[in-house]
């Protein structure tokens, strides 16, 4: 096994699509752009492509760094690179920013050609199904008839699952990590609090804050704090911060007292600087809407009838937002259909965020699965 | 057993204290008022008094109704009344609004005698220890030398526990329901999000919103929604709301789509109308601060060395905010001290809110414990 390495310096690429896309909501985008990155080399048979789908807060910048921004390391860099579990010496990896995003693909901050102004509130809702459709068009543009695998964690995993339903002929394997076949009531409820925080922020201006020169910073901060708490396990937070006080004693005021408060405020501030509120709103809605079983009387097995991919499903014991029980629902539906499914339930302390962590047991599962994919 | 009844129409009472109270923070209130209610009759030996302590969102209005507001039923009315588990035919029950509250006791919306204006941001921090001190002064004023029992759920239970530490000679039994000996990191984190939502609301005005004729409604709404989600279990929310849609189909907009959204918005609106933001902030801080073991090197057993009360500790299996494991920490410390402790871990689906529910198994435990208290 060669030593693990980085994909090094990477650059985003852009593809413009002038064929209209009719979204699940009925809205239509006449044209759109997708930002993406690729790592490794597409082989001559064009059989070694792996699509990596992003979750709520991420983008097409999956691995490597930018020449002009060397601290901005791709969000799954620990997993993807030469000699890494998803080995770019063997696979051609594609990361794509989804429609509605805020990292270069057409989204609420893009110019609406009909008005010449930024879309803002008028940008349509997007769904996991819409993203898969756009991703499949990008694949075609890149000359990829069929992905060796589509992979994601959390909302990214929902896209991998949807690929097996929408594009069963174009996906060899689905790698579905820390997923659920649909959100629980509690999941939706947390998303709704985040949305209410954003939409009631006076700087939201009904979604048209761009023209006011402000961003709904307060709302984004709250949304991010809720995310941080719910993506971590109780134990992981306790381990990392405990009840540690910044100054050793109670101050009896509303400044930072506990270290966890400092962490949350810092993360919230950082996020509010960089993330588009309209994108955040729409991505949480896409999460809420995802429910492939709904069109089949609630039967996930029926929704997966056309699937033919091989599956790796992985979950983490301390993930209380998308618990192992939710992954097992997926596995059961796969087995009901006689599909080839591997399932790993990994004893990890990091909660939902475990899918982003560099855990050898987890990474070995991913590595072994990719090693067994014949090209 | 007589049929269970209601305590009927009740009226709040008020006691004014002109002896200064020095708070744990070092701040001093020269005078203060406590709002309270009583149900039942104090016996001639003055030995049948039970103090009921309130949690985050409640008050001294524990049972019965008001003549001019018959829909406003006391928050623990299902537990307290003639023939009920805490039987007012036998016990004299006292409910008290804590200092810093917003239901009649001196709090941030009261007039600061030093300025002639409402306290607002200048109202000091209050702690569980401060509340116990004020409650003990009220007891003295009412001629109660010793409570037969002090009882509470959640933050109320922390007060019952603190009574056994601060006033061991004045409490016969502590009934400690859905408690924790201190908040976890995750608990503090959720409180901090609620506080950030309130304090960053432009209508908060640094805590001095009274003089601006506004309330930080947006922040209070977010705080309440987080509370609702975390006080309920995932299963209870799923059972009650599932993924039910208000109009049966996705609307692809940001209006209410899922019933859970409707519920959260409704509860949030109601709460923002009636609860004082400065009180909410201070009560969450009192929760965060509570940690009787801290002064004893983290040893809860050492903190309880002087305790002599009998204890009933009860927890609920689906309570993920104050889980049974947290109650067991308390029980262990009690047993370490050779104290008389009963522990009930009740299999209930309602999460932390189970302590407010009318569950026969739970209520039978409470009833049996009170039946065994000799007066």
């Amino acid at each position: 096994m060669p030593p693990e390495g980085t994909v090094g310096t990477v650059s985003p690429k852009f593809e413009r699509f002038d064929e209209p896309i009719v979204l699940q909501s009925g809205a239509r985008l006449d044209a759109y752009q997708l930002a993406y990155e690729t790592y490794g080399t597409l082989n001559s048979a064009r059989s070694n492509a792996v699509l990596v789908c992003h979750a709520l807060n991420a983008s097409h910048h999956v691995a490597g760094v930018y020449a002009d921004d060397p601290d901005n390391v791709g969000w799954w860099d620990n997993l993807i690179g030469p000699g890494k579990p998803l080995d770019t010496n063997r696979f051609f990896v594609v990361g794509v920013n989804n429609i509605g995003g805020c990292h270069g693909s057409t989204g609420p901050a893009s110019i609406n050609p009909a008005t010449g102004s930024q879309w803002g509130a008028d940008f349509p809702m997007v769904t996991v199904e819409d993203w898969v459709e756009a991703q499949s068009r990008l694949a075609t543009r890149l000359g990829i008839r069929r992905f060796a695998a589509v992979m994601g964690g959390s909302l990214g995993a929902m896209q991998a699952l949807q690929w097996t339903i929408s594009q069963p002929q174009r996906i060899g394997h689905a790698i579905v990590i820390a997923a659920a076949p649909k959100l629980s009531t509690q999941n939706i409820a947390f998303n709704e609090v985040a949305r209410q925080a954003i939409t009631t922020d006076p700087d939201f201006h009904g979604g048209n804050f761009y023209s006011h020169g402000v961003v709904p910073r307060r709302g984004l901060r709250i949304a991010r704090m809720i995310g941080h708490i719910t993506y971590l396990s109780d134990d992981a937070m306790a381990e990392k911060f405990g009840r540690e006080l910044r100054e050793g004693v109670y101050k009896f005021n509303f400044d930072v007292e506990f270290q966890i408060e400092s962490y949350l405020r810092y993360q919230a501030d950082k996020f509010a600087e960089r993330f588009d509120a309209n994108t955040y709103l729409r991505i949480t809605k896409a999460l809420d809407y995802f429910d492939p079983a709904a069109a089949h009387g609630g039967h996930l097995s029926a929704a997966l009838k056309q699937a033919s991919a091989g599956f790796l499903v992985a979950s983490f014991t301390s993930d209380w937002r998308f618990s192992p029980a939710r992954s097992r629902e997926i596995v059961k539906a796969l087995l009901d259909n006689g599909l080839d499914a591997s399932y790993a339930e990994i004893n990890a302390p990091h909660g939902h965020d475990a899918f982003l962590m560099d855990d050898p047991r987890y990474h070995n599962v991913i590595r072994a699965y990719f090693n067994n994919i014949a090209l």
Side-chain angles (χ1 to χ4, degrees), chain A:
Chain A
M1 202 166 69
E4 295 190 355
T6 171
V7 299
T9 303
V10 299
S11 300
K13 305 169 193 179
F14 301 90
E15 285 287 330
R16 183 177 164 81
F17 296 82
D18 289 310
E19 311 82 42
I21 184 168
V22 177
L23 304 171
Q24 207 189 343
S25 68
R28 166 184 158 135
L29 288 176
D30 286 329
Y32 55 95
Q33 166 175 287
L34 294 178
Y36 68 103
E37 291 179 13
T38 66
Y39 325 113
T41 308
L42 187 61
N43 64 13
S44 55
R46 299 173 177 271
S47 66
N48 69 333
V50 174
L51 176 67
V52 177
C53 304
H54 70 78
L56 184 48
N57 307 317
S59 72
H60 55 289
H61 185 39
V62 181
V65 296
Y66 295 138
D68 60 353
D69 187 8
D71 293 334
N72 184 359
V73 180
W75 56 271
W76 230 345
D77 189 77
N78 62 28
L79 193 83
I80 297 166
K84 288 187 176 168
L86 171 45
D87 187 348
T88 51
N89 289 329
R90 185 159 179 250
F91 290 100
F92 176 67
V93 177
V94 181
V96 59
N97 187 215
N98 285 318
I99 292 180
C102 54
H103 290 91
S105 293
T106 298
S110 306
I111 299 297
N112 176 355
T115 65
S117 305
Q118 285 173 286
W119 281 94
D122 293 335
F123 196 83
M125 289 288 190
V126 281
T127 65
V128 168
E129 290 88 328
D130 296 332
W131 291 335
V132 168
E133 172 60 24
Q135 289 159 0
S136 76
R137 293 185 185 189
L138 177 65
T140 303
R141 184 74 63 88
L142 298 180
I144 300 163
R145 196 189 58 76
R146 182 175 186 267
F147 280 112
V150 179
M151 178 185 195
S154 190
L155 176 58
M158 291 173 167
Q159 295 162 56
L161 190 61
Q162 186 62 40
W163 262 89
T164 72
I165 297 170
S166 301
Q167 305 280 348
Q169 306 310 317
R170 300 190 72 182
I171 173 173
H173 295 267
I175 299 174
V176 174
I177 305 169
K182 63 186 177 201
L183 292 197
S184 72
T185 319
Q186 188 190 67
N187 293 152
I188 296 171
F190 277 124
N191 281 345
E192 170 67 0
V193 181
R195 284 192 295 265
Q196 287 284 304
I198 291 170
T199 59
T200 64
D201 185 328
D203 285 337
F204 182 63
H205 294 287
N208 296 315
F209 50 88
Y210 310 115
S211 60
H212 292 79
V214 293
V215 296
R217 205 177 153 272
R218 304 172 196 92
L220 281 166
R221 290 180 79 253
I222 298 300
R224 184 55 166 171
M225 287 191 239
I226 294 170
H228 264 288
I229 298 172
T230 62
Y231 301 150
L232 282 173
S233 71
D234 193 5
D235 286 349
M237 290 186 93
E239 171 85 14
K240 198 165 171 185
F241 303 103
R243 292 179 50 92
E244 206 184 320
L245 296 167
R246 190 151 77 169
E247 300 182 29
V249 293
Y250 293 154
K251 311 294 290 180
F252 295 106
N253 63 35
F254 296 106
D255 298 339
V256 164
E257 296 203 282
F258 293 92
Q259 291 290 12
I260 181 64
E261 296 173 316
S262 173
Y263 172 78
L264 288 173
R265 292 187 195 185
Y266 175 75
Q267 295 293 340
D269 288 343
K270 258 197 351 188
F271 186 71
E273 295 296 320
R274 70 175 176 83
F275 210 87
D276 180 83
N278 282 318
T279 290
Y280 198 88
L281 291 174
R282 281 162 182 74
I283 299 189
T284 61
K285 276 298 204 180
L287 272 161
D288 291 1
Y289 290 141
F290 184 69
D291 183 7
H296 301 269
H299 299 291
L300 187 61
S301 306
L304 286 159
K305 266 282 184 289
Q306 306 305 320
S308 56
F311 282 82
L312 170 61
V313 179
S315 69
F316 302 94
T317 49
S318 59
D319 183 352
W320 59 277
R321 194 134 183 199
F322 289 0
S323 72
R326 312 305 313 280
S327 282
R328 281 187 240 118
E329 294 174 37
I330 297 171
V331 173
K332 184 184 177 306
L334 300 175
L335 297 180
D336 285 346
N337 283 303
L339 289 162
D340 191 356
S342 300
Y343 177 55
E345 192 166 307
I346 294 152
N347 191 348
H350 305 103
H352 189 56
D353 271 353
F355 86 86
L356 297 168
M357 302 289 172
D358 190 0
D359 179 321
R361 293 159 305 174
Y362 161 44
H363 277 195
N364 286 341
V365 167
I366 304 292
R367 183 188 297 277
Y369 195 85
F370 274 112
N371 282 348
N372 283 329
I373 293 180
L375 301 183

